Amino acid sequence: SERALVSAVAEHLSAAAHAWVDSGREDADLYRGARLEAALDLEAGNPQELGVLERTYIGASQAAANSQINSLRRGRRRLAYLAGSLVLLLALAMVSGLLTMRARDDAQQAALVSDAQRVGMQALGRTDSSLRLLLAVAAVRLHDDAGTRSSLLAAVQGANGPESTVQL
């Protein structure tokens, strides 16, 4: 019956409390889980069944369980913080990679523009009209802008002079 169950829980609790004291009050000897719940129910429903030692044992068991729960919560918070930090670092690495690729592309574009301008200027310095036209066309193909078109126009105008036989 219920009274026999209460008595059995109280006896087990008393034996566990005495063993705990005899072992030097080791946390490993404290109640956890279902046994702790049964002891708490006994303390709440039948406080007269418990002595000071049993109440102390239940309090120590509950404190150890709460400490374990708090430790698990701290561990979860640390893991969440770590995961968030890793996500942030990954995002920063991706942004850094994209910025590096863009800077590389900008540098390549600047080099291409510079090469096109240099080829266009070389075209203007040539006396051979065919070579001048080829260099000017190459400059426009490298980078089509006002500067390279100007070089091409000057090369075409120079090629169409009275001494030139080149026809476009």
Side-chain angles (χ1 to χ4, degrees), residues 118-127 131-133 135-136 151 155:
R118 184 176 40 79
V119 170
M121 294 304 289
Q122 286 177 351
L124 295 177
R126 300 295 177 179
T127 55
L131 182 57
R132 184 172 47 236
L133 283 171
L135 286 171
S151 296

Side-chain angles (χ1 to χ4, degrees), residues 40-137:
L40 289 169
D41 288 346
L42 177 66
E43 182 180 42
N46 299 295
Q48 71 280 1
E49 296 285 332
L50 303 177
V52 173
L53 176 62
E54 288 80 10
R55 286 191 176 114
T56 302
Y57 180 76
I58 291 171
S61 295
Q62 191 168 25
N66 289 340
S67 176
Q68 185 178 18
I69 289 170
N70 290 335
S71 178
L72 289 172
R73 286 180 181 154
R74 283 190 303 275
R76 286 183 187 148
R77 279 193 301 267
R78 279 192 297 261
L79 285 176
Y81 175 76
L82 179 61
S85 297
L86 289 175
V87 167
L88 179 62
L89 287 174
L90 178 62
L92 288 173
M94 289 175 60
V95 168
S96 175
L98 290 173
L99 290 174
T100 300
M101 287 178 16
R102 180 158 185 178
R104 182 202 61 209
D105 292 346
D106 290 348
Q108 287 175 341
Q109 182 64 26
L112 184 65
V113 168
S114 175
D115 288 347
Q117 290 171 348
R118 184 176 40 79
V119 170
M121 294 304 289
Q122 286 177 351
L124 295 177
R126 300 295 177 179
T127 55
D128 179 0
S129 62
S130 295
L131 182 57
R132 184 172 47 236
L133 283 171
L134 286 173
L135 286 171
V137 167

